Amino acid sequence: MTIPRATIRLQLNRDFTFADALAQIDYFTALGVSHLYTSPVTTAQPGSTHGYDVADYGTVSAELGGEAGLRRLAAKLRDRGMGIIIDIVPNHMGVGGAHNAWWRDILEWGRHSAYARHFDVDWHSPDPALRGKVLMPFLGGQYGEELAAGRIELKFDASDARFVVTYGPHVCPVCPADYAALLQSANHAELDALAAPFQGLTTQPDDHPRAAAARDALRTFVERNGTAAIDAVCTAHAGTDPAGRDRLHRLLERQHYRLAWWRTATDEVNWRRFVDVSALAGVRVERHDVFEAVHRLVFRLYADGVIDGVRVDHIDGLADPREYCERLRQRLVPLRAAVPYIVVEKVLAHGETLRDDWRVHGTTGYDFMDDVGALLHDPAGAAPLAQTWSALTGTSAPFALVQFDARREVLAAYLAAELDHATRALHRIAREQTVTRDFTYASLHRAVAQLAMHFPVYRIYPVNGMRGPLDNGYFDTALAAARQALPLANRAALEQIAAWLGGRAPDVATLVANGKPPRTAKTAPNAAQNVTNMSNVPNVPLSHALIVQRTALALFSQLTAPLAAKATEDTAFYRYGRLLSRNEVGSDPDDFARSVEDFHAANKRRAQHAPYSMLATATHDHKRGEDLRARLAVLSECPDEWSATLRAWSTLNQPHRRNDTTDNADWAPGAAAEAMLYQTLVGCWPPDLDSGDEAGVRALAERVAQWQRKALREAKLRTNWLSPNETYESDCQAFLFDILAPQQRDGFLNALAEFVARIAPAGALNTLLQTTLRLTSPGVPDLYQGTELWDFSLVDPDNRRPVDFAARAAALDSAPPAAKLPHWRDARVKLAIVQRLLALRALAPELLREGSYVPLEVHGALAQHVVAFARKRDDACAVIVGTRLAAKLLDGDMPLVAAQDWRDTAIAIPKDCAAPLWHDWLSDTQISDAEKAAQGENTLYLRDVLQAMPVAVLSNLTPARA
């Protein structure tokens, strides 16, 4: 089995290993998933909590249990008819520290390292201090200060016979070309002899074996005599002594790296990062040799049947995602008779679809999360909630404007180096043509910045260096906006950039006339970075023009993608707070709500184009848990009540603000941060938490405080990660703990708990609908670890907390979800829905995964409160019915509309889906339609279908136990 029926995402780390996952197989089996879908299993930096900082692509993490542990897990799963999908990280590796052998080799040998082309390093920096070097921006302070403080040290690693420069956990090898001088500086006869083999060493590859042999002799000497003599060399380079500091500085100046303050990375980093994370370096997986090195373990695990497929992380970071997906598929397919399951992590803008020519099974589910999330929101709430937000914060800017301001700021303050790299690639093209050589770097820089800031999607995907119609649609939107923003004097540069970025093929004839003859890929200049794989296939004729144009295209795309992510998800989402349930990865807060028809249309597209795409409502990267968002969506149904509540709480808690005086506008936390804090508290308040439970409230406050600090820094308004305003942050935390203090029990705490209690039933109803739709829509449902019960988590690391699987296993039984609805606060009804619908998927896998999708017509008094569709495959049929926007329909504490209130509301069933007897998988009740079917009336009344539950899944298939 390779195409999953349903997956459960597991976050592996040293506290939850392969052995821990193996211990839960009985639970996973009983739950009904077909595959475990794991975070990366390759060796990451020591202590990694997520696995995305890969240090070694070739080995399975020993912290997780090693390859033997993974194989034991896979074997046990195979015995149960289950499998594994793993997350792979081809875009970047963890650097810094001491554990990435590829990166250490680059630091040691520079551009002549065997791995110099494995990373996206610009060895031709215009900065003389970085030419031929790698910026190492890991110092906690200015270079001179850290050097004088003795925190940068020369050491000798006896186990490896290497001189290294260390700074905290970071280890930078000294180039062997410097060993002779170092050893001779000790004035020690034996060290002088050991220095001889190092004399005259160069960084050329032919000298690398000679260096290794010389180190072997050095190792032998140390094993026999110890390190006392060599330690003297290190002591002579101590930074705390002026003479030693000068020696160490001069030594460092000769290395293939430049140690620098971490803040320099924004402006000067000369290698591609993962977004703005300077501990993660971009990998040139577009090169054939790098691709094979990165995936060798993956191919072996797949060929051996250990894994059944892969989830590709951060696909938009790659130079050419289409080419990468094609090569990955071509390499995997011959290894097994089965079809490899391949999905990609891709954030799609509203209306954007995954490219068909990638030939993968789909995305990891952000698009579905957005579709179902928008369905839960009442469009009538958009305007009044916006008015409330405007009145509280003093700004009426829509999200699009907030996002644009964030893009401008992030580009200037966080991605300046990436903008510089893209601009220089274009400037290089300009200089090589007589007709464009007078376009200045500054004019191109301004134009590229405006294009990037206005780009409506993450990136474009040209084929063979040319934009297609889809790309042109997005590019032209940015181009038109950039034209309006730029002075007339810069328009010509902008139009030329549009041509170079895939608008037209390079003019090879012009370049030949200018002395730039076509070259083969084999002799392509090393200056060209990030070209697609075609440039690495020997004897394929590629002009220099085509190479540099593709370089520019890739660098521009590798700028717009992180800019979109950083500015939207990690900045604007924390500035704009009309309703935080729409501030989620893959969503646009301005796209507030969607109709049932919109939801059906999205599902039909998915069924047609990506029937095996993942369906997610929670991920390890979500901003807010699925049930938190479902509860906050209720506020769209009662905007006036929420507005009054916000104002009342703001007045009630005013005494707890810091510096809130008539002459101080910078009070803490500030209007926007305070309003978003109240939404967060409403969303994450546990259903069973009593306001008098001091320990429980304190635990909640500590979780929210962690979120608050991250939210304030991500917003980048009064504090940020680069320059934290700790006084402001402390004041905000004090406000939070004050309003949740035990002495507020009869004030804000009770008001908060009472408000949550009023909307919680409608929020629970939204949860049950969202869960049912995820498990019955076209695609492969994914369960994020632990979300089988309530998920009121906040952004990471809160959403990556340990999961109590034992409690979930104990909650499993054979009772139908309807029997658990009266006790909905314990979330067992949610777990029971998951178990029941996964059982249906196991009984008829093709029905819900591949069956046709038929929107059903609903009519009657409450038709607008219903979503209904049918799934049909051969003779098997299922009808899915759910209640929506029901806050005003509920009476009391139950998340259920009274049967009689549905009145004449009914669903029309197509004749080819009609059945004389329906079994409801969620209530174990039978609904007979025989008499109506005989009369030609194929109708199901909601008063019959939704008597016991707010959702129903009717089928002509009956559970084996029934």
Side-chain angles (χ1 to χ4, degrees):
M1 174 191 298
T2 54
I3 305 299
R5 188 174 66 245
T7 61
I8 184 165
R9 168 74 180 203
L10 300 180
Q11 291 297 113
L12 301 172
N13 52 62
R14 60 185 176 186
D15 296 321
F16 190 82
T17 66
F18 300 134
D20 296 310
L22 190 148
Q24 302 302 328
I25 284 186
D26 287 344
Y27 168 66
F28 299 142
T29 303
L31 189 62
V33 297
S34 66
H35 285 72
L36 305 189
Y37 156 42
T38 74
S39 56
V41 302
T42 43
T43 298
Q45 297 282 23
S48 175
T49 59
H50 47 74
Y52 291 100
D53 46 355
V54 180
D56 182 0
Y57 283 115
T59 59
V60 175
S61 169
E63 287 189 353
L64 302 184
E67 187 167 333
L70 175 61
R71 287 179 177 271
R72 281 193 296 271
L73 175 62
K76 189 70 172 178
L77 288 168
R78 279 199 304 272
D79 290 344
R80 302 290 183 93
M82 301 163 70
I84 300 177
I85 307 297
I86 63 168
D87 204 337
I88 61 173
V89 193
N91 176 68
H92 53 265
M93 293 186 82
V95 295
H99 298 87
N100 189 324
W102 292 3
W103 189 253
R104 289 202 315 271
D105 200 74
I106 283 181
L107 300 181
E108 187 171 37
W109 294 107
R111 73 181 76 183
H112 292 127
S113 163
Y115 305 100
R117 304 291 173 252
H118 281 48
F119 296 93
D120 254 335
V121 179
D122 183 0
W123 296 104
H124 303 269
S125 172
D127 180 358
L130 278 178
R131 199 162 298 154
K133 293 176 181 282
V134 171
L135 186 73
M136 287 288 285
F138 296 108
L139 301 183
Q142 295 273 9
Y143 169 76
E145 295 174 359
E146 299 301 286
L147 191 67
R151 286 188 280 270
I152 302 173
E153 300 177 275
L154 176 67
K155 294 182 178 180
F156 183 73
D157 180 356
S159 65
D160 206 23
R162 272 186 168 87
F163 283 102
V164 295
V165 173
T166 68
Y167 178 83
H170 304 290
V171 177
C172 303
V174 171
C175 180
D178 284 303
Y179 279 32
L182 286 172
L183 293 170
Q184 289 171 339
S185 69
N187 294 318
H188 187 288
E190 288 187 274
L191 293 187
D192 287 344
L194 290 169
F198 291 103
Q199 290 281 5
L201 270 180
T202 71
T203 59
Q204 293 295 328
D206 288 347
D207 274 357
H208 294 189
R210 178 183 157 196
R215 269 200 302 264
D216 286 341
L218 188 57
R219 182 182 296 106
T220 301
F221 170 83
V222 169
E223 290 171 352
R224 187 176 65 249
N225 300 290
T227 62
I230 296 176
D231 290 342
V233 173
C234 298
T235 301
H237 289 76
T240 50
D241 171 69
R245 181 161 60 250
D246 181 63
R247 292 188 195 99
L248 180 56
H249 172 65
R250 285 187 280 113
L251 175 66
L252 287 169
E253 289 291 272
R254 295 194 298 272
Q255 301 314 301
H256 302 293
Y257 46 86
R258 178 189 146 207
L259 292 176
W261 190 20
W262 64 269
R263 292 190 180 187
T264 64
T266 293
D267 297 319
E268 295 189 341
V269 69
N270 63 335
W271 39 271
R272 182 170 61 87
R273 301 175 290 175
F274 169 71
V275 192
D276 65 336
V277 182
S278 298
L280 300 176
V283 176
R284 295 191 64 193
V285 75
E286 67 273 11
R287 292 180 57 94
H288 178 75
D289 55 337
V290 181
F291 178 91
E292 291 298 320
V294 166
H295 296 88
R296 189 169 292 117
L297 174 65
V298 174
F299 296 151
R300 180 162 57 81
L301 294 176
Y302 180 73
D304 291 349
V306 176
I307 64 171
D308 292 318
V310 296
R311 176 252 200 204
V312 181
D313 178 67
H314 194 53
I315 191 74
D316 277 339
L318 306 183
D320 189 338
R322 179 197 60 82
E323 186 274 336
Y324 170 84
C325 291
E326 176 64 17
R327 182 188 293 169
L328 180 64
R329 190 185 62 81
Q330 288 182 350
R331 286 289 281 111
L332 285 171
V333 165
L335 300 178
R336 295 248 300 270
V339 177
Y341 184 65
I342 305 172
V343 290
V344 296
E345 185 207 23
K346 168 64 184 151
V347 176
L348 297 167
H350 184 44
E352 184 185 13
T353 58
L354 191 65
R355 303 298 174 94
D356 290 337
D357 59 359
W358 289 13
R359 300 180 68 187
V360 296
H361 289 103
T363 72
T364 53
Y366 295 141
D367 46 339
F368 179 81
M369 186 159 66
D370 182 39
D371 292 338
V372 73
L375 181 70
L376 301 182
H377 288 72
D378 188 343
L385 287 172
Q387 291 168 3
T388 299
W389 175 252
S390 176
L392 285 171
T393 63
T395 175
S396 59
F399 178 75
L401 184 56
V402 175
Q403 181 186 43
F404 181 76
D405 287 344
R407 280 173 172 260
R408 179 166 47 205
E409 179 181 329
V410 165
L411 190 61
Y414 293 85
L415 298 176
E418 286 74 10
L419 174 59
D420 175 66
H421 297 163
T423 303
R424 283 196 290 107
L426 291 163
H427 193 225
R428 190 177 299 125
I429 299 175
R431 285 292 176 88
E432 291 183 347
Q433 301 182 39
T434 56
V435 294
T436 58
R437 66 184 300 176
D438 288 335
F439 282 129
T440 66
Y441 171 87
S443 67
L444 296 175
H445 188 275
R446 286 189 289 270
V448 173
Q450 287 297 329
L451 272 177
M453 284 189 289
H454 287 96
F455 222 72
V457 293
Y458 266 50
R459 59 172 288 175
I460 55 175
Y461 307 98
V463 177
N464 295 327
M466 298 295 294
R467 300 194 304 265
L470 275 175
D471 290 328
N472 279 332
Y474 300 127
F475 195 93
D476 290 348
T477 297
L479 185 61
R483 287 189 187 115
Q484 294 296 316
L486 285 168
L488 284 172
N490 292 128
R491 301 279 178 84
L494 177 66
E495 301 303 326
Q496 186 60 64
I497 287 171
W500 285 332
L501 293 179
R504 70 165 183 259
D507 186 353
V508 177
T510 300
L511 287 170
V512 171
N514 288 329
K516 296 287 184 181
R519 306 181 183 219
T520 66
K522 206 171 186 178
T523 59
N526 287 333
Q529 302 292 312
N530 258 335
V531 294
T532 61
N533 182 54
M534 289 179 63
S535 67
N536 300 294
V537 179
N539 304 318
V540 175
L542 285 179
S543 71
H544 175 76
L546 184 57
I547 292 172
V548 294
Q549 180 165 308
R550 289 189 181 181
T551 296
L553 259 173
L555 287 173
F556 179 74
S557 294
Q558 290 170 323
L559 168 66
T560 60
L563 176 59
K566 186 69 178 176
T568 303
E569 299 165 21
D570 293 341
T571 306
F573 277 179
Y574 293 97
R575 294 181 175 182
Y576 180 82
R578 171 171 61 177
L579 191 56
L580 296 181
S581 46
R582 291 301 290 143
N583 292 21
E584 192 50 80
V585 180
S587 299
D588 177 359
D590 280 341
D591 179 26
F592 186 77
R594 293 188 209 146
S595 66
V596 171
E597 290 73 23
D598 292 332
F599 180 75
H600 288 323
N603 266 350
K604 291 185 76 171
R605 283 194 299 271
R606 193 173 295 107
Q608 181 178 357
H609 297 288
Y612 306 127
S613 190
M614 280 187 168
L615 308 175
T617 48
T619 74
H620 63 284
D621 279 332
H622 67 230
K623 303 301 180 187
R624 292 163 189 87
E626 63 185 28
D627 301 322
L628 190 161
R629 298 194 311 272
R631 182 189 289 168
L632 285 184
V634 177
L635 301 183
S636 70
E637 302 180 63
C638 55
D640 294 336
E641 180 185 359
W642 175 240
S643 176
T645 299
L646 269 180
R647 294 173 190 277
W649 290 352
S650 183
T651 300
L652 180 64
N653 291 325
Q654 186 172 358
H656 301 294
R657 296 171 179 169
R658 297 320 194 250
N659 307 314
D660 187 16
T661 61
T662 55
D663 59 348
N664 186 0
D666 293 330
W667 56 272
E674 184 179 348
M676 287 193 277
L677 173 61
Y678 292 143
Q679 284 191 57
T680 300
L681 290 170
V682 166
C684 70
W685 187 273
D688 57 353
L689 179 60
D690 186 279
S691 61
D693 179 355
E694 293 186 18
V697 173
R698 177 74 187 189
L700 177 67
E702 289 173 350
R703 286 179 51 217
V704 174
Q706 188 178 45
W707 163 84
Q708 182 187 56
R709 177 175 175 269
K710 181 167 185 173
L712 295 171
R713 290 190 177 185
E714 296 286 27
K716 305 172 185 65
L717 295 174
R718 295 174 62 179
T719 185
N720 57 59
W721 296 105
L722 294 178
S723 303
N725 182 340
E726 295 181 359
T727 299
Y728 169 66
E729 293 174 3
S730 177
D731 286 345
C732 290
Q733 185 181 79
F735 175 82
L736 167 64
F737 280 100
D738 280 354
I739 67 176
L740 294 183
Q743 53 266 39
Q744 303 304 318
R745 182 179 308 159
D746 295 328
F748 175 67
L749 269 176
N750 272 347
L752 172 61
E754 288 170 2
F755 182 83
V756 171
R758 287 200 300 278
I759 69 167
L765 184 148
N766 281 345
T767 281
L768 303 186
L769 173 62
Q770 180 173 251
T771 302
T772 300
L773 294 177
R774 172 164 49 96
L775 293 164
T776 55
S777 291
V780 176
D782 173 48
L783 316 176
Y784 182 63
Q785 60 175 28
T787 60
E788 310 91 279
L789 295 179
W790 292 133
D791 175 24
F792 293 109
S793 62
L794 298 165
V795 72
D796 67 278
D798 192 63
N799 62 4
R800 302 177 188 180
R801 287 174 294 156
V803 176
D804 186 349
F805 285 109
R808 285 155 177 79
L812 287 176
D813 58 38
S814 60
K820 303 173 187 294
L821 188 64
H823 309 286
W824 61 269
R825 292 181 184 277
D826 64 14
R828 294 190 178 204
V829 61
K830 180 185 179 184
L831 176 62
I833 288 177
V834 172
Q835 184 183 21
R836 278 296 179 98
L837 295 185
L838 290 182
L840 175 57
R841 296 187 77 99
L843 180 65
E846 294 82 8
L847 173 61
L848 294 179
R849 190 174 60 191
E850 301 160 358
S852 59
Y853 183 90
V854 185
L856 298 180
E857 180 184 342
V858 185
H859 54 80
L862 298 182
Q864 70 271 27
H865 296 282
V866 181
V867 56
F869 56 90
R871 305 298 308 280
K872 183 170 174 54
R873 173 83 174 194
D874 300 327
D875 294 332
C877 186
V879 171
I880 293 87
V881 185
T883 310
R884 64 184 291 262
L885 305 182
K888 294 181 176 64
L889 303 178
L890 303 183
D891 183 14
D893 191 46
M894 283 284 283
L896 180 67
V897 177
Q900 66 272 15
D901 290 347
W902 288 110
R903 291 178 283 172
D904 63 340
T905 309
I907 302 167
I909 304 297
K911 289 184 178 180
D912 61 348
C913 288
L917 185 67
W918 294 103
H919 178 86
D920 182 5
W921 281 66
L922 304 185
S923 66
D924 275 349
T925 58
Q926 310 292 325
I927 298 177
S928 175
D929 202 28
E931 182 178 346
K932 295 173 185 174
Q935 298 171 357
E937 182 186 359
N938 297 311
T939 301
L940 289 173
Y941 284 90
L942 274 295
R943 59 177 181 258
D944 299 326
V945 174
L946 299 181
Q947 281 189 23
M949 286 282 287
V951 287
V953 177
L954 312 178
S955 179
N956 57 0
L957 302 173
T958 304
R961 62 184 173 278

